[in-house]
């Protein structure tokens, strides 16, 4: 099974901090076009699923134009499955359209199966920050993909915090691939003898 993992697209970001308005508008269009091209690439290369590990949109109430563009892209390719875990920017009204190829998560672990691949995810909150590690249940015989959004830290921390992913507490959980979002640069590593994270 071929997967694409992406995160932090931030559709609709104003981008006006370091750019004049016209340049910011051009950059927003380029970001949307890059997302379209990624989906086209997925279809052309027989990818079965796209993992969206948070912050597809830049704010809690994305504008209508950005939402329409996002959902139109998903509708163009009903054979491609999208797994969308909301992040800290797109927490409220980012998905409100039910599509058969759009799979979403919640504040409790949700598990989706495609053959022997299980895609699990949970949207982190202050209420579930400590319990999410103990409540993750994966089978050893499956290929397990876990999606989370937050700052990844090595080892365990003294107190669980919302928005922090403690990699040490995910060791030995039968994870093959941990798909993270939130940090705006690429980093990967070994989680344990079975799995990797990126």
């Amino acid at each position: 099974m071929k997967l694409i993992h992406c995160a932090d697209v931030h559709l609709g970001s104003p981008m006006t901090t370091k750019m004049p308005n016209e340049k910011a508008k051009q950059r927003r269009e380029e970001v949307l076009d890059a997302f379209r091209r990624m989906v086209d690439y997925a279809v052309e290369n027989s990818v079965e699923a796209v993992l969206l590990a948070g912050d597809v949109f830049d704010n809690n109430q994305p504008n209508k134009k950005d939402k329409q563009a996002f959902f139109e892209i998903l509708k163009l390719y009903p054979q491609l499955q999208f797994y969308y875990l909301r992040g800290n920017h797109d927490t409220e009204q980012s998905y409100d359209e039910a599509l058969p190829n759009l799979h979403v998560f919640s504040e409790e672990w949700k598990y989706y199966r495609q053959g022997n691949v299980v895609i699990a995810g949970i949207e982190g909150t202050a209420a579930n920050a400590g319990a999410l590690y103990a409540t993750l249940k994966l089978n050893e015989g499956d290929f397990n993909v876990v999606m989370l959004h937050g700052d990844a830290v090595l080892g365990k921390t003294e107190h669980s915090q919302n928005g922090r992913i403690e990699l040490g507490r995910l060791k030995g959980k039968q994870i093959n691939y941990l798909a993270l979002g939130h940090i705006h640069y690429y980093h990967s590593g070994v989680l344990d003898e079975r799995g990797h994270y990126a």
Side-chain angles (χ1 to χ4, degrees), residues 3 49 51 83 105 110-112 114 117-121 145 147:
L3 302 169
L51 310 176
Y83 294 88
F105 299 91
K110 275 185 105 170
Y111 303 87
Y112 295 98
Q114 282 193 229
V117 176
V118 171
I119 298 170
V145 176
M147 295 175 63

Side-chain angles (χ1 to χ4, degrees), residues 17-193:
T17 305
K18 296 181 180 179
M19 289 183 233
N21 286 342
E22 208 44 49
K23 194 71 167 166
K25 180 183 177 192
Q26 177 186 347
R27 183 70 181 120
R28 285 191 298 274
E29 291 170 2
E30 290 169 351
V31 169
L32 179 59
D33 184 57
F35 182 73
R36 278 192 193 100
R37 287 186 290 116
M38 180 196 69
V39 174
D40 289 341
Y41 174 89
V43 172
E44 291 164 8
N45 290 277
S46 303
V47 170
E48 294 179 50
V50 175
L51 310 176
L52 303 169
D55 292 350
V56 167
F57 297 101
D58 192 62
N59 63 58
N60 287 340
Q61 298 179 332
N63 70 48
K64 186 176 179 180
K65 179 183 169 192
D66 292 324
K67 283 175 73 172
Q68 281 181 326
F70 173 74
F71 285 112
E72 287 304 315
I73 292 168
L74 272 59
K75 288 177 189 174
L76 281 174
Y77 302 108
Q79 75 278 20
L80 184 58
Q81 304 304 302
F82 292 86
Y83 294 88
Y84 179 10
L85 179 115
R86 290 179 294 188
N88 58 304
H89 281 263
D90 51 5
T91 56
E92 290 177 21
Q93 299 175 13
S94 49
Y95 53 75
D96 53 11
E97 191 167 341
L99 298 175
N101 63 332
L102 176 61
H103 311 282
V104 297
F105 299 91
S106 68
E107 295 177 12
E108 295 182 1
W109 285 105
K110 275 185 105 170
Y111 303 87
Y112 295 98
R113 178 176 289 279
Q114 282 193 229
N116 73 327
V117 176
V118 171
I119 298 170
I122 189 170
E123 295 172 351
T125 65
N128 69 14
L132 68 86
Y133 304 99
T135 56
L136 174 62
K137 305 293 181 202
L138 299 168
N139 295 320
E140 185 178 353
D142 293 322
F143 187 92
N144 298 305
V145 176
V146 172
M147 295 175 63
L148 293 168
H149 187 86
D151 289 318
V153 294
L154 296 172
K156 294 182 181 180
T157 57
E158 190 174 328
H159 301 287
S160 294
Q161 294 180 3
N162 183 30
R164 180 171 286 176
I165 309 302
E166 300 172 31
L167 297 177
R169 295 181 73 180
L170 293 169
K171 290 183 178 183
K173 295 280 187 181
Q174 310 303 330
I175 298 171
N176 294 89
Y177 182 73
L178 177 58
L180 299 170
H182 188 58
I183 303 301
H184 296 182
Y185 63 88
Y186 175 76
H187 177 73
S188 66
V190 175
L191 182 63
D192 56 21
E193 60 280 350

